[in-house]
Amino acid sequence: MSEIRHNWTKEEILEIYNKPLMELLYEAASVHRKYHDPNTVQVSTLLSIKTGGCPEDCGYCPQAARYHTDIEGNDLMTVQQVKAQALRAKASGSSRVCMGAAWRNVKDGPEFDQVLEMVRTINKLEMEVCCTLGMVTENQAKRLAEAGLYAYNHNLDTSEEYYKEVISTRGYQDRLDTIDNVRKTNVTVCSGGIIGMGEKVEDRAGMLVALSTLNPQPESVPINALVAVDGTPMEDEEPVEIWEMIRMVAVTRIVMPETQVRLSAGRTNMSREGQAMCFFAGANSIFAGDKLLTTPNPDVNEDMEMFNKLGLNPQKPFTKKVQPQTVEAEDSQYQPTGEKPKWSRPGHTIERNEEAKEKAKMLK
C-alpha cells in the first residue's frame, strides 16, 4: 500500500498511469479507502468575484483581455454580494467557497482590503474559504491567513515543459514561489491542472511529479478537463475522453494519498456513471453551482440527486483541518508594505496565442 512519498519519478507515474484500467482502479480505490471516507465528497462553490480583463495570455482562458470571447467582465463584487452568495451556497450543501479574481497577481490597496473583508465574512459563516487571486507575496499570504483563509488555489496547470506552450506572460517558477509563500502560513495549498490542452501523457505525469514532490504535498488537487471556449487559442481542442479523467484521478490519488482530489471543470460533459467511476478512483470533492468562474457546470440539484443515488454524503466544513481564527482589520499584525515584486515575464511567443489575439483585434 502506498505511503506518502515525495520522490516519485515520471517513469514510475507513467507506469501507474498505463496499468490496465481495472487494476489501476482497484489500487486507487484501496488507497482512497485507507486515507478517506469513500462515501464522503466535499461540495465547494466557485465564485468569480472579479471577471474578465486579465492581462495574462493563458491559452485556455476566456478571461484574458487579449482574446475575443463572450465573457461579460465585471468589477470586484461587494462584501455584501459575496456574503449573499455564500449563504446561498451553504444552504445548498456547500462547505467551501472559492473566490476567484482575474488578476495576474495581488496588489496591495483597497481592492485587496475588500477581499480580506470577504474572507473574514465567509469564515464567520462557518465555511471554508479559498481564494485564487494570482501570484502572492509572503506578506500578502500572511494577511490572508490572518483574515481566516482556509486554502489558496494556484494551479501549476501542466508540466514545466508544456507550460511554455500554454502561457508566455509568467513563468512556472512564479507558480512554485507563490505556493512556497502560502506554505509560510497556516493556509492549506490547492494546486492542480488541466488535461486536454494538447499535452502528452508524459506532461500529465510531469505535472504530478511537480505536485507530489512538494513537501508537504498540496492538501487539495483539482483535476480539470479543458472546456474549449470559442475565441481562445484552444477553441479547437478535442474534449478528453472520460477514461483519461478516470486515469488521471486514479493516479493522483495513488501518488498523493492524503490529498483531496477535486473533480473540477468539464463535469458537464461527464455522465453520472463516469463521475461515479471518478469517485471510486479517489475523487472526493466537486464544485457545485451552474458556473465554474465562466464555464458551465452541472446544477446543484442534479448533483444532490447523483449523491443520493450513489449514497454519497457532503463533507462537513473543517473536517480535515480546524477552522482558522479571524483577526479583524484593526487588530492586524501585518500591514501593506507597498512592495512591488518582480514576477517574471518570459516573453517568448506562442503561435496559437498570437493568432487568437490578432483574430480578437479584427472582431473588436
Side-chain angles (χ1 to χ4, degrees):
M1 188 70 73
S2 159
E3 294 300 332
I4 311 295
R5 280 181 50 190
H6 301 280
N7 60 348
W8 287 99
T9 66
K10 194 187 282 191
E11 292 68 33
E12 286 176 309
I13 290 176
L14 282 170
E15 198 179 317
I16 297 169
Y17 191 99
N18 291 317
K19 280 185 179 191
L21 187 63
M22 295 307 156
E23 205 177 307
L24 176 60
L25 279 174
Y26 179 74
E27 187 180 340
S30 304
V31 172
H32 189 49
R33 283 159 187 274
K34 182 177 176 185
Y35 291 90
H36 305 269
D37 175 353
N39 297 317
T40 301
V41 172
Q42 183 171 43
V43 182
S44 304
T45 294
L46 192 52
L47 190 57
S48 183
I49 56 171
K50 190 269 175 193
T51 308
C54 184
E56 302 278 46
D57 76 335
C58 308
Y60 51 79
C61 187
Q63 300 206 60
R66 64 189 69 203
Y67 307 137
H68 182 79
T69 61
D70 290 331
I71 297 307
E72 275 187 42
N74 67 275
D75 293 334
L76 191 65
M77 289 170 75
T78 66
V79 175
Q80 282 313 109
Q81 285 172 320
V82 166
K83 183 179 182 179
Q85 295 274 25
L87 285 167
R88 201 173 125 209
K90 187 177 183 178
S92 66
S94 283
S95 61
R96 179 185 285 211
V97 172
C98 303
M99 297 189 285
W103 292 337
R104 169 177 162 82
N105 58 281
V106 171
K107 294 187 175 90
D108 291 340
E111 289 201 327
F112 185 43
D113 292 344
Q114 199 167 315
V115 171
L116 293 170
E117 204 48 52
M118 292 172 191
V119 171
R120 293 186 186 97
T121 303
I122 297 173
N123 191 43
K124 287 175 195 166
L125 297 178
E126 308 286 312
M127 296 181 84
E128 295 174 13
V129 196
C130 177
C131 280
T132 181
L133 311 167
M135 279 90 78
V136 288
T137 63
E138 184 181 340
N139 184 62
Q140 289 163 343
K142 285 176 173 167
R143 293 178 72 200
L144 284 162
E146 203 182 42
L149 191 70
Y150 186 90
Y152 195 82
N153 166 267
H154 203 60
N155 289 337
L156 294 185
D157 291 336
T158 185
S159 69
E160 185 165 7
E161 294 75 19
Y162 195 67
Y163 193 82
K164 300 176 183 74
E165 304 298 320
V166 179
I167 299 159
S168 74
T169 50
R170 58 165 187 253
Y172 206 71
Q173 192 57 45
D174 293 338
R175 318 303 281 169
L176 297 169
D177 290 347
T178 286
I179 290 170
D180 196 42
N181 288 337
V182 173
R183 276 285 175 234
K184 292 170 183 164
T185 72
N186 63 351
V187 174
T188 64
V189 167
C190 175
S191 185
I194 307 169
I195 68 171
M197 298 192 293
E199 75 289 344
K200 298 187 176 78
V201 171
E202 286 77 7
D203 293 307
R204 296 174 191 175
M207 179 184 83
L208 292 180
V209 169
L211 292 167
S212 64
T213 52
L214 292 172
N215 193 358
Q217 292 176 341
E219 287 80 357
S220 170
V221 173
I223 301 295
N224 297 277
L226 176 73
V227 178
V229 177
D230 286 350
T232 63
M234 294 186 178
E235 62 184 3
D236 295 326
E237 289 292 344
E238 291 296 317
V240 293
E241 288 192 0
I242 184 65
W243 310 113
E244 295 177 72
M245 278 299 279
I246 294 166
R247 279 188 185 276
M248 195 65 187
V249 165
V251 180
T252 306
R253 169 51 67 230
I254 292 165
V255 301
M256 291 180 268
E258 289 184 340
T259 292
Q260 287 213 266
V261 181
R262 300 182 180 271
L263 198 54
S264 302
R267 274 201 312 123
T268 39
N269 297 331
M270 294 181 205
S271 67
R272 285 188 177 179
E273 295 85 351
Q275 290 179 68
M277 285 185 83
C278 287
F279 295 134
F280 184 71
N284 56 347
S285 173
I286 60 166
F287 285 105
D290 58 355
K291 262 192 181 175
L292 279 194
L293 294 181
T294 55
T295 54
N297 199 46
D299 176 73
V300 69
N301 296 328
E302 281 177 42
D303 285 332
M304 289 306 117
E305 200 182 302
M306 175 175 69
F307 273 34
N308 287 336
K309 282 203 161 54
L310 300 176
L312 296 173
N313 304 304
Q315 181 182 301
K316 292 190 164 42
F318 314 113
T319 301
K320 303 282 181 182
K321 184 174 173 281
V322 294
Q323 181 175 8
Q325 295 296 307
T326 284
V327 174
E328 297 302 335
E330 57 269 23
D331 302 321
S332 175
Q333 287 180 44
Y334 300 99
Q335 299 303 320
T337 59
E339 57 195 332
K340 289 189 169 58
K342 288 273 184 278
W343 299 107
S344 73
R345 289 184 185 274
H348 62 284
T349 24
I350 302 170
E351 206 170 301
R352 62 179 171 181
N353 290 16
E354 290 302 310
E355 283 170 9
K357 187 169 115 182
E358 289 310 311
K359 190 170 143 192
K361 281 182 188 167
M362 286 166 14
L363 291 168
K364 278 176 184 170

